[in-house]
Amino acid sequence: MTITYRSDVTVKAVRTSAMDHDVTQAARVSTLGAEAIDAQGSTKGLINFLMRDRHGSPFEHNSFTFYIEAPIFVAREFFRHRAGWSYNEESGRYKELNPVFYLPAPGRPLVQVGKPGAYTFEPGTDLQYTVASGVAAEAYRHAWSSYQVQLRAGIAREVARNVLPVATYTSFFATCNARSLMHFLSLRTSKENAKVPSFPLREIAMVAEEMEAHFAEHMPVTHAAFEKHGRVAA
């Protein structure tokens, strides 16, 4: 197989069962009981109240399932999000992995300025980008060759994979609800209107931005309230 280099991510919406009415219906059961099933009323006003006062549970009665392709180092950050999330990932024990590796795109900040807890990332020079890409590509070629040598020698996939870097692309399904998705977005995007600043890894932010676009499309009132109240998860 030919080695492939990527600088992007793939985010596909597999299944979506989510709309703003799900939130208001769940919220109204507290005062209406069974009548909440057919109740109508102000969606925007109620959702803004719930978001402002952080009444979070009504935002859990919906579901988003995404298929994601990203480097392993992105998946490992993703899997730190546990409350309200479910994952299934392709397995290097059961299938031969594909020779697809991550290279930073031109313009991806390369230089860390400042100390831990108080730093920023700035663009690198053309030379730094050439070095970063060239060294990485050479390491990937060597790692892939080492992986293939082991497989041809009959060594188990779960052992042979140990030589592959975290820049190898993996694929996984991720399922969440709107509340857990908003918590993810509050941490994995960087927005000027956020009440709590976040400094996410650029590559996981790329995934988050595509997920947020889908969220805004299907739950526009909830997303607008999320934005209005400082991108703090309810």
Side-chain angles (χ1 to χ4, degrees), residues 109-216:
L110 293 179
V111 181
Q112 181 177 321
V113 180
K115 59 183 180 180
Y119 58 83
T120 59
F121 284 95
E122 297 182 0
T125 64
D126 290 343
L127 175 60
Q128 287 171 324
Y129 175 74
T130 299
V131 169
S133 299
V135 168
E138 181 180 1
Y140 301 158
R141 288 192 294 270
H142 181 71
W144 181 253
S145 176
S146 300
Y147 178 59
Q148 290 296 302
V149 166
Q150 292 181 83
L151 293 179
R152 287 195 295 270
I155 295 171
R157 288 184 289 265
E158 65 181 50
V159 176
R161 65 176 175 173
N162 294 343
V163 300
L164 295 176
V166 294
T168 307
Y169 272 70
T170 186
S171 62
F172 59 96
F173 282 86
T175 298
C176 62
N177 57 55
R179 188 183 191 183
S180 53
L181 179 56
M182 287 186 287
H183 179 259
F184 173 83
L185 296 175
S186 71
L187 294 172
R188 302 303 183 178
T189 60
S190 181
K191 303 287 186 178
E192 292 184 359
N193 63 318
K195 285 184 179 179
V196 181
S198 183
F199 306 94
L201 179 75
R202 176 56 197 145
E203 289 76 15
I204 200 168
M206 291 161 57
V207 177
E209 288 161 6
E210 294 197 39
M211 295 173 75
E212 182 163 0
H214 184 73
F215 170 48

Side-chain angles (χ1 to χ4, degrees), residues 81-94:
H81 296 268
R82 298 180 298 278
W85 287 87
S86 297
Y87 302 103
N88 279 94
E89 182 184 10
E90 70 172 281
S91 174
R93 294 185 66 194
Y94 303 130

